[in-house]
PDB file of all heavy atoms in Angstrom:
ATOM      1  N   VAL W 891     -19.972  13.320  11.210  1.00 95.00           N
ATOM      2  CA  VAL W 891     -21.099  12.485  11.631  1.00 95.00           C
ATOM      3  C   VAL W 891     -21.263  12.611  13.135  1.00 95.00           C
ATOM      4  O   VAL W 891     -20.340  12.993  13.851  1.00 95.00           O
ATOM      5  CB  VAL W 891     -20.899  11.000  11.265  1.00 95.00           C
ATOM      6  CG1 VAL W 891     -20.759  10.823   9.774  1.00 95.00           C
ATOM      7  CG2 VAL W 891     -19.727  10.401  12.007  1.00 95.00           C
ATOM      8  N   SER W 892     -22.461  12.242  13.589  1.00 95.00           N
ATOM      9  CA  SER W 892     -22.723  12.214  15.018  1.00 95.00           C
ATOM     10  C   SER W 892     -21.944  11.063  15.645  1.00 95.00           C
ATOM     11  O   SER W 892     -21.956   9.945  15.145  1.00 95.00           O
ATOM     12  CB  SER W 892     -24.224  12.018  15.234  1.00 95.00           C
ATOM     13  OG  SER W 892     -24.515  12.075  16.600  1.00 95.00           O
ATOM     14  N   ALA W 893     -21.239  11.364  16.737  1.00 95.00           N
ATOM     15  CA  ALA W 893     -20.415  10.336  17.373  1.00 95.00           C
ATOM     16  C   ALA W 893     -21.276   9.190  17.897  1.00 95.00           C
ATOM     17  O   ALA W 893     -22.440   9.369  18.225  1.00 95.00           O
ATOM     18  CB  ALA W 893     -19.615  10.964  18.502  1.00 95.00           C
ATOM     19  N   GLY W 894     -20.693   8.017  17.993  1.00 95.00           N
ATOM     20  CA  GLY W 894     -21.409   6.820  18.432  1.00 95.00           C
ATOM     21  C   GLY W 894     -21.299   5.763  17.359  1.00 95.00           C
ATOM     22  O   GLY W 894     -20.269   5.618  16.710  1.00 95.00           O
ATOM     23  N   SER W 895     -22.409   5.069  17.146  1.00 96.00           N
ATOM     24  CA  SER W 895     -22.424   4.028  16.129  1.00 96.00           C
ATOM     25  C   SER W 895     -22.523   4.670  14.745  1.00 96.00           C
ATOM     26  O   SER W 895     -23.342   5.559  14.527  1.00 96.00           O
ATOM     27  CB  SER W 895     -23.635   3.123  16.395  1.00 96.00           C
ATOM     28  OG  SER W 895     -23.615   2.050  15.509  1.00 96.00           O
ATOM     29  N   ALA W 896     -21.663   4.252  13.837  1.00 96.00           N
ATOM     30  CA  ALA W 896     -21.692   4.816  12.477  1.00 96.00           C
ATOM     31  C   ALA W 896     -21.585   3.672  11.481  1.00 96.00           C
ATOM     32  O   ALA W 896     -20.905   2.677  11.722  1.00 96.00           O
ATOM     33  CB  ALA W 896     -20.541   5.797  12.272  1.00 96.00           C
ATOM     34  N   GLU W 897     -22.290   3.805  10.364  1.00 97.00           N
ATOM     35  CA  GLU W 897     -22.232   2.771   9.336  1.00 97.00           C
ATOM     36  C   GLU W 897     -21.378   3.279   8.175  1.00 97.00           C
ATOM     37  O   GLU W 897     -21.674   4.334   7.601  1.00 97.00           O
ATOM     38  CB  GLU W 897     -23.641   2.424   8.847  1.00 97.00           C
ATOM     39  CG  GLU W 897     -23.641   1.214   7.919  1.00 97.00           C
ATOM     40  CD  GLU W 897     -25.049   0.791   7.513  1.00 97.00           C
ATOM     41  OE1 GLU W 897     -25.949   1.643   7.525  1.00 97.00           O
ATOM     42  OE2 GLU W 897     -25.228  -0.396   7.185  1.00 97.00           O
ATOM     43  N   LEU W 898     -20.315   2.547   7.881  1.00 98.00           N
ATOM     44  CA  LEU W 898     -19.515   2.842   6.695  1.00 98.00           C
ATOM     45  C   LEU W 898     -20.180   2.140   5.516  1.00 98.00           C
ATOM     46  O   LEU W 898     -20.458   0.940   5.573  1.00 98.00           O
ATOM     47  CB  LEU W 898     -18.085   2.307   6.861  1.00 98.00           C
ATOM     48  CG  LEU W 898     -17.329   2.671   8.138  1.00 98.00           C
ATOM     49  CD1 LEU W 898     -15.935   2.030   8.105  1.00 98.00           C
ATOM     50  CD2 LEU W 898     -17.227   4.172   8.309  1.00 98.00           C
ATOM     51  N   LYS W 899     -20.428   2.905   4.451  1.00 98.00           N
ATOM     52  CA  LYS W 899     -21.089   2.307   3.278  1.00 98.00           C
ATOM     53  C   LYS W 899     -20.338   2.698   2.014  1.00 98.00           C
ATOM     54  O   LYS W 899     -19.758   3.785   1.941  1.00 98.00           O
ATOM     55  CB  LYS W 899     -22.539   2.802   3.175  1.00 98.00           C
ATOM     56  CG  LYS W 899     -23.438   2.237   4.250  1.00 98.00           C
ATOM     57  CD  LYS W 899     -24.900   2.451   3.907  1.00 98.00           C
ATOM     58  CE  LYS W 899     -25.398   3.784   4.424  1.00 98.00           C
ATOM     59  NZ  LYS W 899     -26.858   3.927   4.317  1.00 98.00           N
ATOM     60  N   TRP W 900     -20.372   1.815   1.036  1.00 98.00           N
ATOM     61  CA  TRP W 900     -19.753   2.115  -0.249  1.00 98.00           C
ATOM     62  C   TRP W 900     -20.518   1.383  -1.347  1.00 98.00           C
ATOM     63  O   TRP W 900     -21.285   0.441  -1.075  1.00 98.00           O
ATOM     64  CB  TRP W 900     -18.274   1.725  -0.256  1.00 98.00           C
ATOM     65  CG  TRP W 900     -18.011   0.272  -0.012  1.00 98.00           C
ATOM     66  CD1 TRP W 900     -17.821  -0.693  -0.940  1.00 98.00           C
ATOM     67  CD2 TRP W 900     -17.918  -0.380   1.269  1.00 98.00           C
ATOM     68  NE1 TRP W 900     -17.614  -1.911  -0.330  1.00 98.00           N
ATOM     69  CE2 TRP W 900     -17.665  -1.745   1.018  1.00 98.00           C
ATOM     70  CE3 TRP W 900     -18.033   0.056   2.591  1.00 98.00           C
ATOM     71  CZ2 TRP W 900     -17.526  -2.684   2.050  1.00 98.00           C
ATOM     72  CZ3 TRP W 900     -17.898  -0.872   3.625  1.00 98.00           C
ATOM     73  CH2 TRP W 900     -17.641  -2.224   3.337  1.00 98.00           C
ATOM     74  N   THR W 901     -20.330   1.828  -2.571  1.00 97.00           N
ATOM     75  CA  THR W 901     -21.000   1.227  -3.722  1.00 97.00           C
ATOM     76  C   THR W 901     -20.030   0.265  -4.393  1.00 97.00           C
ATOM     77  O   THR W 901     -19.014   0.698  -4.952  1.00 97.00           O
ATOM     78  CB  THR W 901     -21.433   2.319  -4.723  1.00 97.00           C
ATOM     79  OG1 THR W 901     -22.271   3.250  -4.039  1.00 97.00           O
ATOM     80  CG2 THR W 901     -22.168   1.725  -5.905  1.00 97.00           C
ATOM     81  N   PRO W 902     -20.308  -1.041  -4.332  1.00 94.00           N
ATOM     82  CA  PRO W 902     -19.350  -1.995  -4.914  1.00 94.00           C
ATOM     83  C   PRO W 902     -19.270  -1.851  -6.427  1.00 94.00           C
ATOM     84  O   PRO W 902     -20.280  -1.588  -7.084  1.00 94.00           O
ATOM     85  CB  PRO W 902     -19.939  -3.367  -4.549  1.00 94.00           C
ATOM     86  CG  PRO W 902     -20.953  -3.104  -3.494  1.00 94.00           C
ATOM     87  CD  PRO W 902     -21.456  -1.715  -3.732  1.00 94.00           C
ATOM     88  N   PRO W 903     -18.079  -2.007  -6.992  1.00 92.00           N
ATOM     89  CA  PRO W 903     -17.971  -2.017  -8.455  1.00 92.00           C
ATOM     90  C   PRO W 903     -18.570  -3.311  -9.020  1.00 92.00           C
ATOM     91  O   PRO W 903     -18.772  -4.289  -8.300  1.00 92.00           O
ATOM     92  CB  PRO W 903     -16.456  -1.964  -8.693  1.00 92.00           C
ATOM     93  CG  PRO W 903     -15.839  -2.475  -7.442  1.00 92.00           C
ATOM     94  CD  PRO W 903     -16.794  -2.194  -6.323  1.00 92.00           C
ATOM     95  N   ASP W 904     -18.853  -3.277 -10.318  1.00 88.00           N
ATOM     96  CA  ASP W 904     -19.386  -4.489 -10.962  1.00 88.00           C
ATOM     97  C   ASP W 904     -18.330  -5.592 -10.927  1.00 88.00           C
ATOM     98  O   ASP W 904     -17.140  -5.320 -11.060  1.00 88.00           O
ATOM     99  CB  ASP W 904     -19.748  -4.191 -12.425  1.00 88.00           C
ATOM    100  CG  ASP W 904     -20.941  -3.250 -12.509  1.00 88.00           C
ATOM    101  OD1 ASP W 904     -21.750  -3.241 -11.555  1.00 88.00           O
ATOM    102  OD2 ASP W 904     -21.028  -2.512 -13.504  1.00 88.00           O
ATOM    103  N   PRO W 905     -18.775  -6.841 -10.749  1.00 87.00           N
ATOM    104  CA  PRO W 905     -17.791  -7.937 -10.749  1.00 87.00           C
ATOM    105  C   PRO W 905     -17.206  -8.140 -12.150  1.00 87.00           C
ATOM    106  O   PRO W 905     -17.840  -7.822 -13.154  1.00 87.00           O
ATOM    107  CB  PRO W 905     -18.612  -9.150 -10.322  1.00 87.00           C
ATOM    108  CG  PRO W 905     -20.023  -8.795 -10.609  1.00 87.00           C
ATOM    109  CD  PRO W 905     -20.141  -7.305 -10.531  1.00 87.00           C
ATOM    110  N   CYS W 906     -15.976  -8.668 -12.205  1.00 83.00           N
ATOM    111  CA  CYS W 906     -15.371  -8.989 -13.498  1.00 83.00           C
ATOM    112  C   CYS W 906     -16.080 -10.173 -14.130  1.00 83.00           C
ATOM    113  O   CYS W 906     -16.268 -10.233 -15.338  1.00 83.00           O
ATOM    114  CB  CYS W 906     -13.890  -9.307 -13.335  1.00 83.00           C
ATOM    115  SG  CYS W 906     -12.928  -7.853 -12.923  1.00 83.00           S
ATOM    116  N   GLN W 907     -16.458 -11.137 -13.283  1.00 82.00           N
ATOM    117  CA  GLN W 907     -17.197 -12.304 -13.779  1.00 82.00           C
ATOM    118  C   GLN W 907     -18.635 -12.188 -13.279  1.00 82.00           C
ATOM    119  O   GLN W 907     -18.859 -12.165 -12.070  1.00 82.00           O
ATOM    120  CB  GLN W 907     -16.579 -13.592 -13.247  1.00 82.00           C
ATOM    121  CG  GLN W 907     -15.115 -13.767 -13.636  1.00 82.00           C
ATOM    122  CD  GLN W 907     -14.442 -14.838 -12.806  1.00 82.00           C
ATOM    123  OE1 GLN W 907     -15.058 -15.833 -12.429  1.00 82.00           O
ATOM    124  NE2 GLN W 907     -13.164 -14.629 -12.507  1.00 82.00           N
ATOM    125  N   PRO W 908     -19.602 -12.111 -14.206  1.00 84.00           N
ATOM    126  CA  PRO W 908     -21.000 -11.973 -13.793  1.00 84.00           C
ATOM    127  C   PRO W 908     -21.386 -13.065 -12.796  1.00 84.00           C
ATOM    128  O   PRO W 908     -21.023 -14.230 -12.965  1.00 84.00           O
ATOM    129  CB  PRO W 908     -21.777 -12.125 -15.104  1.00 84.00           C
ATOM    130  CG  PRO W 908     -20.798 -11.728 -16.170  1.00 84.00           C
ATOM    131  CD  PRO W 908     -19.455 -12.151 -15.667  1.00 84.00           C
ATOM    132  N   GLY W 909     -22.081 -12.647 -11.747  1.00 82.00           N
ATOM    133  CA  GLY W 909     -22.541 -13.605 -10.745  1.00 82.00           C
ATOM    134  C   GLY W 909     -21.524 -13.898  -9.660  1.00 82.00           C
ATOM    135  O   GLY W 909     -21.856 -14.545  -8.664  1.00 82.00           O
ATOM    136  N   LYS W 910     -20.288 -13.435  -9.858  1.00 85.00           N
ATOM    137  CA  LYS W 910     -19.267 -13.673  -8.824  1.00 85.00           C
ATOM    138  C   LYS W 910     -18.978 -12.337  -8.130  1.00 85.00           C
ATOM    139  O   LYS W 910     -18.243 -11.509  -8.656  1.00 85.00           O
ATOM    140  CB  LYS W 910     -17.988 -14.219  -9.463  1.00 85.00           C
ATOM    141  CG  LYS W 910     -16.970 -14.657  -8.429  1.00 85.00           C
ATOM    142  CD  LYS W 910     -15.866 -15.501  -9.059  1.00 85.00           C
ATOM    143  CE  LYS W 910     -14.954 -16.089  -7.994  1.00 85.00           C
ATOM    144  NZ  LYS W 910     -13.749 -15.357  -7.769  1.00 85.00           N
TER     145      LYS W 910
END
Side-chain angles (χ1 to χ4, degrees):
V891 300
S892 184
S895 185
E897 188 176 25
L898 309 180
K899 289 195 271 190
W900 60 95
T901 303
D904 292 334
C906 290
Q907 301 165 34
K910 188 166 188 262

